């Protein structure tokens, strides 16, 4: 594995999103002096927040999986997960609602899920689920250490027995067909393939190796921090401060001072100059490349993932939905053709409707519930003619009507839209193509073909975040921060979830 050369005693991390926080913790645990510069007044990045009239909104991710990776990140500075976060299991992980009126509770516990599948689709599908679960677990075991949580310098370095095993498991088949080889019921197949949308690819085109995302929630389990998803970056930032990391909030980096190919200091718009031996750019990719004054050399243009409209809605606390609700329309293949192929809005939308107050009622005022409705929509590269500032209100009304029809009767009459984000809002936050899901995980943007975390043009700069390796999502963002730290210091542990902290005198 290649690492940056020269001294790395003092490191500046630009961006206090999850990747930047993880990088800061791992670097501090390895004895580096770390300064984090963040343009916002709080940590979180994509895991954002907004407080409106007593509602505590999470404006970023709503699903938390793989808490062991969070634990590993905190362990980098000798902290424990339990001392920093109160993680509550979400049971069921999801409740799936289908257009034919049927419903399925999706459990990560094997026995509970078998009972749920038996009542939903019969004994034959139970056997298929058992085989699917075993396949997902083996796929994850083979992929994690070698392909997800490791830096790769060349596609040739992947030519290992692990790759042969991944091929033998069918990792390079299409996701829909791979899952279909275990499950006959089309509704069940949706439950184990919809996650490909997080990767920006349809189940019919996604590689089966992305079934590891299904493993993370349907096998590994779904959790929710008490206090909302914002509690995660708050915990990581607090642990970093206690470990000696310095935070500069409300400061936008606008220049990287250089000596030849080496960055020697970071400058902010407010005139602050921070000397450094290395820089971790945990920002949006276009922002990072603009600071480096260099674009990557690629034979084809970037392909961003679809975007989303996200509405936060207050409602009387009179219903008992699950925490996470998958509300499927009758159409499925057509949905992806519209979103990704044609760049059009879904004519028969499928939605993720989250009620975080099902787990933590303190996120809304007394006697009120908080709902978050997420509708996938095309990114601005695919649908630049959609004027979201003009269309948002009408589209929000369409979505609330769908929720009322399929999930919560009376939703239109009794709901209040507290806040709404559209692709135009994501673009104003400098997200590529107005999507919070960054680059799609096409084959040409996966693994060693994704934008590398060692960019050209600066010998001591490293990238972190969902635009680089390993990709999009909360667990992968945290891993991206660790991989960036490894590029600075060299990897310090071969154990997946071990305390990687070392003494402060152990410096390169």
């Amino acid at each position: 594995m290649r690492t940056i050369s020269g001294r790395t005693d003092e490191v500046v991390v630009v961006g206090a999103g999850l990747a930047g926080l993880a990088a800061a913790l791992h670097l501090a645990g390895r004895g580096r002096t770390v300064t984090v510069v963040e343009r916002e007044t709080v940590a979180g990045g994509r895991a954002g927040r907004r407080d409106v009239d007593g509602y505590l909104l999470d404006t970023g991710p709503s699903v938390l999986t793989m808490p062991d990776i969070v634990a590993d990140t905190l362990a980098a500075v000798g902290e424990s997960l339990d001392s920093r976060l109160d993680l509550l299991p979400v049971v069921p992980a999801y409740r799936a609602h289908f257009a034919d009126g049927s419903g399925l509770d999706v459990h990560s516990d094997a026995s509970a899920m078998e009972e749920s599948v038996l009542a939903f689709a019969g004994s034959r599908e139970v056997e298929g689920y058992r085989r699917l679960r075993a396949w997902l677990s083996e796929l994850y075991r083979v992929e994690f250490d070698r392909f997800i949580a490791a830096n790769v310098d060349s596609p040739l370095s992947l030519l290992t027995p692990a790759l042969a095993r991944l091929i033998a498991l069918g990792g390079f088949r299409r996701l829909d067909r791979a899952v279909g080889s275990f499950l006959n019921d089309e509704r069940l197949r949706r439950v184990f393939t919809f996650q490909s949308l997080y990767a920006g690819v349809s189940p019919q085109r996604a590689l089966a190796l992305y079934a590891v995302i299904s493993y993370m929630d349907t096998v590994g389990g779904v959790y929710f921090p008490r206090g909302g998803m914002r509690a995660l970056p708050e915990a990581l930032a607090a642990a970093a401060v206690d470990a000696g990391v310095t935070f500069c909030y409300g400061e936008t980096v606008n220049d990287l001072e250089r000596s030849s190919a080496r960055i020697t200091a970071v400058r902010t718009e407010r005139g602050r100059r921070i000397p450094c031996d290395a820089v971790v750019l945990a920002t949006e990719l276009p922002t990072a490349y603009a600071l480096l004054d260099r674009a990557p050399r690629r034979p084809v243009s970037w392909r961003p993932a679809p975007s989303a409209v996200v509405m936060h809605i207050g409602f009387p606390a009179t219903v008992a939905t699950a925490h996470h609700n998958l509300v499927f329309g009758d159409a499925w293949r057509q949905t992806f053709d519209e979103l990704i192929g044609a760049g059009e809005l879904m004519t028969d939308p499928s939605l993720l409707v989250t009620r975080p107050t099902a787990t933590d009622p303190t996120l809304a005022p007394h006697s009120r519930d908080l709902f978050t409705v997420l509708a996938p929509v095309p990114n601005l590269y695919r649908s630049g003619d959609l004027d979201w500032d003009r269309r948002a209100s009408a589209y929000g009304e369409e979505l609330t009507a769908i929720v009322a029809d399929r999930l919560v009767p009376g939703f239109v009459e009794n709901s209040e839209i507290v806040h709404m984000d559209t692709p135009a809002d994501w673009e104003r936050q400098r997200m590529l193509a107005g999507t919070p899901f960054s680059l799609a995980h096409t084959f040409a943007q996966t693994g060693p073909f994704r934008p590398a975390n060692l960019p050209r043009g600066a010998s001591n700069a490293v990238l972190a975040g969902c635009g680089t390796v390993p990709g999009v999502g909360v667990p992968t963002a945290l891993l991206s921060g660790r991989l960036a730290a490894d590029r600075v210091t060299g990897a310090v542990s071969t154990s997946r979830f071990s305390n990687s902290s070392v003494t402060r005198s152990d410096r390169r």
Side-chain angles (χ1 to χ4, degrees), residues 403-415:
V403 175
D405 181 58
R406 301 182 190 174
L407 184 66
V408 182
F411 200 67
V412 173
E413 298 84 356
N414 298 294
S415 63

Side-chain angles (χ1 to χ4, degrees), residues 9 16 58 67 96 118 127 259 286 317 357-358 422 432 435 477:
D9 289 10
D58 290 318
L118 178 64
E127 178 55 34
S259 174
T357 44
T422 72
L432 179 69
T435 173

Side-chain angles (χ1 to χ4, degrees), residues 372-393:
T372 300
V373 179
L374 185 153
V377 298
N379 64 57
L380 295 181
Y381 281 8
R382 299 293 300 157
S383 62
D385 58 335
L386 281 175
D387 184 349
W388 279 109
D389 290 332
R390 179 183 59 83
R391 189 185 181 102
S393 179

Side-chain angles (χ1 to χ4, degrees), residues 94-99 102 190 194 321 324-332 335 346 348-354 372-376 399 402-408:
Y94 300 98
R95 182 169 293 152
H97 304 261
F98 299 93
S102 61
R190 291 191 193 187
F194 82 90
T321 69
H324 293 297
N325 301 273
L326 301 168
V327 182
F328 291 107
D330 189 47
W332 188 236
T335 290
M346 297 177 287
D348 183 15
S350 292
L351 310 174
L352 173 62
V353 181
T354 297
T372 300
V373 179
L374 185 153
L399 296 180
I402 292 170
V403 175
D405 181 58
R406 301 182 190 174
L407 184 66
V408 182

